[in-house]
Amino acid sequence: MAARGAYQTKQKEVIADYFRAHSDACVTAEEVYAALGADVGITTVYRAVARLCEEGALRRYTPQNAGGAALYQLNPCKESHLHIRCMDCGTLEHLRCDVVHDFTKHLLGKHGFVLDEGQTVLYGLCKQCEAKRKQKTEK
Amino acid sequence: MAARGAYQTKQKEVIADYFRAHSDACVTAEEVYAALGADVGITTVYRAVARLCEEGALRRYTPQNAGGAALYQLNPCKESHLHIRCMDCGTLEHLRCDVVHDFTKHLLGKHGFVLDEGQTVLYGLCKQCEAKRKQKTEK
DNA sequence: CTAAGTGCAAAATGTTTGCATACTT
DNA sequence: AAGTATGCAAACATTTTGCACTTAG
C-alpha cells in the first residue's frame, strides 16, 4: 500500500522550494519542469503538485482555455479574507480591505448570509489582462 | 473571414434544443454527442458549445480533475448579479442589491479588478443553516 | 532490507484543425 | 452562386500509467 509522503526526497524539496521562491507566480507543471532542469522529471512534477494541492499547500486553477494547461500557485494564506482570481492569467491575489468587511457585514445583516471568505473566490480580470483584452479588440 | 453564426443549421438547433430540454444538467461535450447520436459530429458539438459560451447562453465549468472534460450547462440567468451558495444545504440564491454594485465599483476603482459577476459565486451559510449549526454546537 | 519515489516511454484523454463536401441564404 | 457549416481523420496538448530502477528510512 502506498503510504503517501512517507519519504522526503530531493525532488520534493526542490519543487516545494520553487513555489516558495516564486510565491506570486502562477505556473504550469511544464514551466516548473523547465525551471528545474535535469533535477526532476515531468512525471514527478505532476505527482508533486497533485499532492501539494491535496494537502492545501498549492491551489490549482484550470483556465477557460479548454485544452490549456492547469496553473499552480502557492496557496497565499489560510487566513480568512477574500481572494480574486484573474480569469486570463490565472493569478490569485489577496483582497484585504475595509470595504470587504463592510460587504460581509451587509450580507449578514441584510441577507442573513454568513460569508465564508476562505472558500470564496471572486472571478474577473486583473488590471493587466483587462488592458490586453482592450488592445486585442481595438486591433 | 468566418461570419460567425451566419447560417441557422439543423445541428445548431438540435444542440441548443438539447440544452434547453436538460436545463439542469451539467454535461460534457462527449455526452451531448452521445445523446444526439448520428445527427451531429463531435467536432460540431465542440464548435457549438464554444460559441454558445461566448454568447453567454451556456456556462463552462472545468472540474478539479485535471485531465477531465469540461462541463457545460445552460446559463441559469444572463443578468449581471452575484450568486450565493450555501455550503450546507447547497441552495444557490440570487443576490441583487445595490451594495453589490458599490462593491464592484470599489474593486474596479481601488484595485483595478474587473469583477465578472456571472462567474463569481459567494460561498457561505444561509440563514437557516447557520441557525441549525448554532443549535448543534449548543447541544 | 523494504517500501516509497523516480523517470522514461507509451497510453489515454480531451480538444482543435485541415480539408473536401454539404448546406443556407 | 457565394460563402458558411459540417464531419471525418489527423494533429495536438496535457496528463496519467506501466514498469524497471533508485533511494530514504
Side-chain angles (χ1 to χ4, degrees):
Chain A
M1 185 206 280
R4 52 179 216 175
Y7 300 164
Q8 179 59 20
T9 67
K10 187 189 74 177
Q11 288 88 342
K12 283 182 195 172
E13 216 175 305
V14 170
I15 293 169
D17 282 348
Y18 176 84
F19 279 103
R20 259 178 249 126
H22 303 77
S23 51
D24 296 333
C26 205
V27 295
T28 65
E30 198 67 39
E31 285 168 333
V32 176
Y33 172 64
L36 300 183
D39 289 341
V40 293
I42 186 69
T43 308
T44 301
V45 173
Y46 275 108
R47 286 194 272 234
V49 295
R51 174 168 304 158
L52 289 168
C53 283
E54 278 180 35
E55 293 169 355
L58 290 188
R59 283 212 182 172
R60 187 203 330 258
Y61 173 63
T62 51
Q64 289 304 324
N65 174 16
L71 296 163
Y72 300 90
Q73 183 177 24
L74 197 66
N75 205 343
C77 57
K78 300 184 180 180
E79 297 161 40
S80 188
H81 64 261
L82 286 177
H83 292 103
I84 55 185
R85 170 86 72 186
C86 176
M87 294 165 67
D88 270 10
C89 69
T91 309
L92 191 70
E93 291 178 46
H94 304 248
L95 181 66
R96 185 180 282 130
C97 91
D98 298 342
V99 174
V100 176
H101 280 115
D102 294 344
F103 183 60
T104 305
K105 276 182 192 170
H106 168 83
L107 284 176
L108 182 58
K110 297 292 176 184
H111 302 270
F113 187 79
V114 183
L115 184 67
D116 184 332
E117 298 192 7
Q119 285 298 314
T120 300
V121 178
L122 305 177
Y123 288 90
L125 294 174
C126 71
K127 212 177 290 183
Q128 292 80 12
C129 290
E130 169 69 7
K132 281 180 194 166
R133 283 211 179 178
K134 276 190 179 171
Q135 283 184 353
K136 278 189 184 176
T137 49
E138 281 170 5
K139 273 175 190 171
Chain B
M1 188 207 276
R4 52 178 218 179
Y7 299 165
Q8 179 59 22
T9 67
K10 186 190 76 178
Q11 287 88 341
K12 283 181 195 171
E13 216 175 305
V14 171
I15 293 169
D17 282 349
Y18 177 85
F19 280 102
R20 260 178 249 126
H22 304 77
S23 52
D24 296 333
C26 209
V27 295
T28 64
E30 198 68 39
E31 285 169 333
V32 175
Y33 172 65
L36 300 182
D39 289 340
V40 294
I42 186 68
T43 308
T44 301
V45 173
Y46 274 109
R47 286 194 271 233
V49 295
R51 173 167 305 158
L52 289 168
C53 283
E54 277 179 37
E55 293 170 356
L58 290 187
R59 276 204 192 180
R60 189 205 325 261
Y61 171 62
T62 53
Q64 287 306 321
N65 174 15
L71 296 163
Y72 301 89
Q73 183 177 23
L74 200 65
N75 205 346
C77 56
K78 299 183 180 183
E79 296 160 41
S80 189
H81 63 260
L82 288 175
H83 291 102
I84 54 185
R85 169 93 66 187
C86 176
M87 293 166 70
D88 270 9
C89 66
T91 311
L92 190 70
E93 290 177 45
H94 302 247
L95 180 66
R96 185 179 285 126
C97 94
D98 299 341
V99 174
V100 175
H101 279 115
D102 294 344
F103 183 59
T104 305
K105 276 183 192 170
H106 169 82
L107 284 176
L108 182 59
K110 297 291 176 184
H111 302 271
F113 188 78
V114 183
L115 183 67
D116 184 333
E117 297 192 8
Q119 286 297 315
T120 299
V121 178
L122 305 176
Y123 287 90
L125 294 175
C126 69
K127 210 178 290 184
Q128 293 79 14
C129 291
E130 170 67 8
K132 283 179 192 167
R133 283 208 178 181
K134 274 191 179 171
Q135 284 184 353
K136 280 187 183 177
T137 49
E138 282 170 4
K139 274 176 189 171

